[in-house]
Amino acid sequence: MRPVAVVGVGKTPFGAFPDLDIRSLAVQAGERCLANAHLQPSLIESFYLGNFAGPAFVGQNHLAPYVSTALGIQGVPATRVEAACASSGSAFFHAWTEVAAGVYDLVMVVGVEKMTSQPTARVTEILASAGDLTGEIRAGSTFASLFAMIARRHMYVFGTKREHLAAVAVKNHAAGALNPDAHMRKPITLEQALAGKPIADPLNLYDCSLISDGAAAVILAPLERASELTDKPVRVLGIGQASDYVALDQKEDITTFPAVCRAASTAYRMAGVTPEEIEFAELHDCFTIAEIIASEDLGFVKRGCGGPYAMEGHSSLTGGRPINASGGLKSKGHPVGATGVGQIYDLVQQIRGEAGPRQVARHSLGLAENLGGSGATCVVSILGAA
Amino acid sequence: MRPVAVVGVGKTPFGAFPDLDIRSLAVQAGERCLANAHLQPSLIESFYLGNFAGPAFVGQNHLAPYVSTALGIQGVPATRVEAACASSGSAFFHAWTEVAAGVYDLVMVVGVEKMTSQPTARVTEILASAGDLTGEIRAGSTFASLFAMIARRHMYVFGTKREHLAAVAVKNHAAGALNPDAHMRKPITLEQALAGKPIADPLNLYDCSLISDGAAAVILAPLERASELTDKPVRVLGIGQASDYVALDQKEDITTFPAVCRAASTAYRMAGVTPEEIEFAELHDCFTIAEIIASEDLGFVKRGCGGPYAMEGHSSLTGGRPINASGGLKSKGHPVGATGVGQIYDLVQQIRGEAGPRQVARHSLGLAENLGGSGATCVVSILGAA
């Protein structure tokens, strides 16, 4: 496998955009990405589209050629990947595979989701299709209730407290307030976070990520060609995709995600780095408890210590290892199919030193963790200065 | 890229199976495939699931780990690919890429669709999500009406007749009657084919493929390891995936599919064979006109001559180059997400000489063409005796 670099990124803001349909969002991110890489669309050799539920949210399937042709990318393989909330992380993984294995030189990935045109109850139902319909979902679960059970168990086993969950929300809202592309730019206090409207006990409104529209795009190339295309190449040092059971009741222990541990192990080994060396990270905080568990599964802290780690400020923007300097899914927004590539966008901005007021101090080695469902898919990517 | 072989195949019958849910179908095909390759699931290194519209047909998304874990495949990358009716053809293409590029040795692909639990009107609506929702579909088109326009234009430009379309139906029903796994094992006469219930003029009921449930599976390995796993390896000699506009109105000429031509060109070049050398083929006859155009775009006959070619018997089971000896989508059935891998299954059966009463005379070099939508995705695969 040869070294791979990110040579271009592009993104729409995340938010509610009633005037932009799914293709317009994807094209906007894609065009910005092509411009960022100084590339004509005709040079792209393979195209990936990460999308979770376009057919359910807006009725449009077969999205890969639908978007690629609108971008002026003609003829080449155009492939949609769906892996719940890890859809575009997985698309990124497969694009990396193609470049690393020498199959193609220039591969583009767009992640997109258009969610806000549906009422919240329908969004909840569509999101639930990423769970096990014949079991947990038929029994009445939603993703909020699944993660509520996970949080409750984490509290029981490790003594994690409501305040720890709230601390994650406060931290990510604070960072997101500095991100002009974030869906919700609103700092909150610990008191506010604790007093949110109940959703699924112990999770309240401030523990849940946002329902957003948005798109993000990235172009990969072999490292040896990167300097032709950009003066700020970012290297993909390590990456792993892993899988696990879809249904929560099939898992032996719901306070850890084996797919995260496995994807991370592959990525760390490939990159030749340890968890301690990671300087900053974008973690999949679909719910606050998910960031806490991810920080443990990735080896940033010992198991059970993720809550205090956030509470004590270690993962704040000015802490030792900032987590979700972008605001995370919690504040930046969570257009499901765009989230994985959106995280890559944020790592690249940081590594290039282009993150503005949310720029982290040490920014040469970052990690992104993109989780699908309640842990059935995970993609972990480690990026660094080239 | 290294040579790749099919080392195992498995399949459910195609038909209406009210007692089997989507996962049961996929697992049945997958288990037969693992047994056919004499492999334990724990040896699979990467898993692909081709599925078009599981979320719409049965409400279940995130299908790759949902199926892989049920097969006992743990931890490895499990990825769903969606490309309309070419979903599992595309999944097969990406699995081939991984093995050919040396990323993994053993990669499994399952294609599945569960369609018959929805009423026909809803099935038609779900299928239409593979077209352009903001244009042709909003204007009232269905896939039958899109292909009716294609047929009408082909008639106008080339003099293709209703009898030519009917001849494709008669031929594929005759072959399918010999296939114990076919959905509709019913030979029909030309008169019957011409007198079918009108669907979208000039297409009638016998010009349309079936709404089916079903699954098919395949395992790929490097050719050098194939002999460990099977005494009947089949080699993937060439393969290509290509893309084009989703909306019919964006195409310059609707009597040809550029994605088919391009995918075929890639596959022929890779295999080092000419269209003339292809001994038999499985073509994507979602509608009879689609087989006619495919036979032209693949270079089996000159443009405009696909109708007479079928009518004169050249592509019959006992003709010079049998097309759809399995019965095709028309008679074998068309569980959308299973169709691409189902075609690979049929090529492998023929090349191995295991096709029973529908065995074709010359069976060392076969081609499969899997079309998505009205031509926005195409995957062409050329398989031969190893």
Side-chain angles (χ1 to χ4, degrees), chain B residues 200-211:
Chain B
D201 190 58
L203 305 180
N204 73 36
L205 189 65
Y206 289 110
D207 294 298
C208 305
S209 56
L210 306 172
I211 293 166

Side-chain angles (χ1 to χ4, degrees), chain A residues 85 127 130-131 136 141-155 165 199-204 207-209 246 248 251 254-257 260 284-294 329 334 369 371-377:
Chain A
C85 307
L127 291 172
E136 57 194 10
S141 294
T142 62
F143 267 90
S145 72
L146 293 172
F147 276 90
M149 286 189 269
I150 290 168
R152 183 62 75 200
R153 183 71 188 165
H154 203 272
M155 290 170 154
L165 303 178
I199 298 293
D201 190 60
L203 305 181
N204 73 37
D207 293 299
C208 305
S209 56
V246 166
L248 219 54
K251 302 184 200 239
I254 63 171
T255 66
T256 177
F257 294 119
V260 179
H284 196 94
D285 58 329
C286 49
F287 298 93
T288 47
I289 184 64
E291 178 179 316
I292 289 172
I293 293 178
L329 287 55
H334 184 26
E369 176 253 352
L371 191 74
S374 53
T377 300

